[in-house]
Amino acid sequence: MSRTPVLSKEAPAPSPHLSQAIVYNGMVYCSGALGIHPQTRKLAGGAYEQTKQALKNLDAILREAGTQSTNTVKTTIFLSSMEHYAEVNKAYLEFFSGDAKPSRTCVAVAQLPLAGADVEIEAIAGLPQTPAPKTSHL
């Protein structure tokens, strides 16, 4: 099995050390996404807006990989402070509004990789299953 990198122009370009995501064995493993607008390259203001933008960025990456956000099975959220928890949850529940929400871990960290960033989110999603061809038994 090969690992296939994903690059969406609708999400901020990754740094040279990583891929936006890797497709492997029917799954998409997304690197952490910050709340950066892909065209302006500016960080959204506040934890709520950064969460919304980070989820939009992940959505673009997942679509480029051939899946969608509803196929997300796991997210990990990194916060610069647990004081942002309620704002992050508000944006998260707006984005993942269905009954089967992804499993999730949310932790506060000492620092995120961009000054002023309050939120970073990584995700793992499944690729849609291709139905087996129908065969007839004549």
Side-chain angles (χ1 to χ4, degrees):
M1 280 179 222
S2 65
R3 299 177 320 134
T4 305
V6 177
L7 179 61
S8 170
K9 294 186 187 305
E10 294 183 31
S15 72
H17 332 67
L18 53 94
S19 296
Q20 287 174 329
I22 292 288
V23 176
Y24 180 76
N25 198 24
M27 301 297 288
V28 182
Y29 299 88
C30 297
S31 295
L34 297 169
I36 299 171
H37 190 277
Q39 282 76 36
T40 66
R41 307 278 303 154
K42 294 189 189 266
L43 190 61
Y48 173 79
E49 292 298 329
Q50 286 182 31
T51 302
K52 283 178 59 172
Q53 186 62 56
L55 290 168
K56 285 179 188 177
N57 293 340
L58 286 169
D59 185 59
I61 294 164
L62 290 172
R63 282 185 282 114
E64 184 69 29
T67 192
Q68 55 190 356
S69 297
T70 56
N71 292 328
T72 302
V73 295
K74 172 78 168 105
T75 61
T76 305
I77 303 173
F78 303 95
L79 303 176
S80 62
S81 168
M82 288 308 279
E83 291 178 11
H84 304 308
Y85 192 73
E87 290 292 305
V88 168
N89 280 339
K90 181 180 175 187
Y92 190 88
L93 288 173
E94 290 171 4
F95 188 81
F96 290 112
S97 59
D99 288 336
K101 304 212 178 10
S103 63
R104 183 180 103 168
T105 302
C106 185
V107 295
V109 296
Q111 188 175 339
L112 291 169
L114 180 65
D118 295 322
V119 180
E120 182 174 8
I121 305 172
E122 64 182 28
I124 301 170
L127 291 171
Q129 296 292 321
T130 305
K134 293 184 180 184
T135 58
S136 63
H137 300 330
L138 299 176

